[in-house]
Amino acid sequence: MNIKLTTPFQPEDLANLKVGDNVLISGVIYTARDAAHKRIVELIESGKELPLELKDNAIYYTGPTPARPGEVIGSAGPTTSYRMDAYAPTLLDNGLKGMIGKGARSEDVIESIVRNEAVYFVAIGGAGALLSEAIISAEVIAWPELGPEAVRRLEVKDFPCIVAIDIKGNNIFKRGDR
């Protein structure tokens, strides 16, 4: 069974998620990778306005390929999440409630997920073309000079993910094949 979620996330929706749940996300999510994360954290630390709304929203760790003519976006598969681990706690402490990527997270990130009652979702690596079909619109909203790593505002419909770390810190990468 798929659980449908809409952004911005509601606390009760995230509280009911369990590791391994299949989720379909609709609404707005943002893209950002390590270079953009570094800039976002610098803006937070200097008290400047952010180019995206963190509160109750999600960031998808992807660097999409260019869109072909007539398409909204190119292939948009997840990138390895640990590259954002140095920055994720700051974003979570500033209202971010969801992260979408692939691979395990550090203990610092897991502690921050629990502290902020957030969720880490994984998307299927190698399925970028398929995942891009759930993206209705895509717009670069910050740092276009970063190319595929620019911050984008995506509107998604039924974007498929799996809960990898829930608000209690249960972790799909540590639970094994029970």
Side-chain angles (χ1 to χ4, degrees):
M1 177 176 92
N2 291 317
I3 298 167
K4 292 194 174 218
L5 295 177
T6 302
T7 61
F9 295 127
Q10 300 302 309
E12 60 273 12
D13 293 335
L14 298 183
N16 291 324
L17 296 176
K18 304 288 182 246
V19 167
D21 284 347
N22 291 314
V23 175
L24 298 173
I25 299 173
S26 295
V28 171
I29 61 175
Y30 298 95
T31 70
R33 288 182 43 173
D34 28 339
H37 272 71
K38 182 176 191 268
R39 292 182 185 192
I40 292 167
V41 168
E42 288 169 351
L43 289 175
I44 290 170
E45 289 173 348
S46 64
K48 295 184 178 168
E49 186 175 341
L50 300 180
L52 69 160
E53 178 59 51
L54 292 178
K55 184 171 173 30
D56 299 327
N57 282 311
I59 291 180
Y60 179 30
Y61 304 147
T62 188
T65 63
R68 293 182 181 155
E71 293 184 358
V72 172
I73 198 166
S75 180
T79 195
T80 305
S81 299
Y82 75 81
R83 292 196 302 255
M84 277 53 74
D85 281 3
Y87 311 109
T90 299
L91 274 63
L92 290 163
D93 289 344
N94 281 274
L96 187 69
K97 289 295 182 184
M99 300 164 289
I100 306 166
K102 68 178 182 181
R105 304 306 300 265
S106 71
E107 286 303 316
D108 286 342
V109 173
I110 295 167
E111 289 171 13
S112 187
I113 287 169
V114 172
R115 180 174 64 248
N116 292 287
E117 297 182 333
V119 174
Y120 171 52
F121 303 94
V122 290
I124 304 302
L130 180 63
L131 292 169
S132 67
E133 291 178 10
I135 300 170
I136 298 167
S137 69
E139 171 191 10
V140 173
I141 61 168
W143 307 304
E145 69 276 10
L146 294 179
E149 294 196 33
V151 175
R152 287 172 174 73
R153 180 187 184 277
L154 304 181
E155 184 181 348
V156 297
K157 173 115 174 86
D158 294 336
F159 188 88
C161 303
I162 299 166
V163 175
I165 302 173
D166 64 26
I167 70 167
K168 294 182 174 128
N170 298 310
N171 187 340
I172 203 167
F173 297 103
K174 291 188 177 177
R175 77 173 199 182
D177 290 336
R178 291 184 204 169

